[in-house]
């Protein structure tokens, strides 16, 4: 098992949708840990399954396993000299609601975004 296998990695648009659905269910992703450095890679629709992306994600992961939801957004478009930059933020609920979140994720079969489409990675 890789260090990121238990993470739910979402595009920014999918994260906003999940956050809204969780709020309706009485859960709030109120804890955030934003990675200090962006992940610098060239974009592809398969970004989330890219081995280098997963390695970079594991290196930035907080030690607390409660941070199992990750949102990814495009911070800066690259060019032929430098790759794109992606900001990753890890999300969690308060510790007293962690079991309820785990139950919600299992019951609703919440999974990582299937592909990292360009439009879903844009913030704003």
């Amino acid at each position: 098992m890789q260090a990121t296998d238990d993470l739910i990695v979402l595009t920014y648009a999918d994260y906003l949708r999940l956050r809204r659905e969780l709020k309706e269910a009485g859960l709030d992703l109120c804890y955030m840990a934003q990675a200090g450095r962006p992940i610098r890679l060239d974009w592809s629709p398969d970004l989330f399954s890219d081995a280098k992306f997963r390695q970079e994600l594991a290196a930035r992961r907080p030690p607390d396993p409660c941070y199992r939801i990750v949102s990814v957004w495009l911070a800066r478009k690259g060019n032929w000299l430098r790759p794109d930059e992606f900001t990753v933020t890890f999300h969690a609920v308060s510790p007293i609601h962690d079991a309820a979140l785990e139950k919600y994720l299992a019951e609703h079969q919440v999974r990582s975004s299937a592909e990292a489409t360009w439009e879903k990675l844009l913030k704003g």
Side-chain angles (χ1 to χ4, degrees), residues 18-27 29 69 101 104:
L18 176 63
R19 189 177 82 182
R20 190 173 38 254
E21 291 170 359
L22 287 172
K23 228 177 218 325
E24 290 171 3
L27 296 166
L29 292 172
I69 297 173
L101 174 64
Y104 180 93

Side-chain angles (χ1 to χ4, degrees), residues 1-2 5 14 17 33 42-44 47 55 59 64 70 73-74 77 82-83 86-87 90 92 94 101 103 107-108 121:
M1 183 164 128
Q2 290 184 346
D5 284 350
D14 289 343
R17 181 187 44 76
D42 291 327
W43 170 82
S44 84
L47 178 70
Q55 180 182 12
D64 186 342
V70 183
W73 61 277
L74 179 69
K77 183 166 173 25
R82 62 179 168 75
F86 301 93
T87 299
F90 297 83
S94 66
L101 174 64
K103 182 179 176 187
E107 286 177 355
H108 291 84
L121 289 168

Side-chain angles (χ1 to χ4, degrees), residues 81-92:
L81 288 175
R82 62 179 168 75
D84 299 310
E85 291 183 10
F86 301 93
T87 299
V88 294
T89 306
F90 297 83
H91 304 274

Side-chain angles (χ1 to χ4, degrees), residues 46-96:
D46 301 320
L47 178 70
F48 292 172
S49 60
D50 181 277
K52 180 69 175 162
F53 178 81
R54 299 302 271 193
Q55 180 182 12
E56 294 288 330
L57 200 59
R60 289 161 175 77
R61 185 176 186 176
D64 186 342
C66 291
Y67 288 95
R68 63 172 131 317
I69 297 173
V70 183
S71 62
V72 180
W73 61 277
L74 179 69
R76 184 183 303 174
K77 183 166 173 25
N79 58 34
W80 64 281
L81 288 175
R82 62 179 168 75
D84 299 310
E85 291 183 10
F86 301 93
T87 299
V88 294
T89 306
F90 297 83
H91 304 274
V93 296
S94 66
I96 61 172

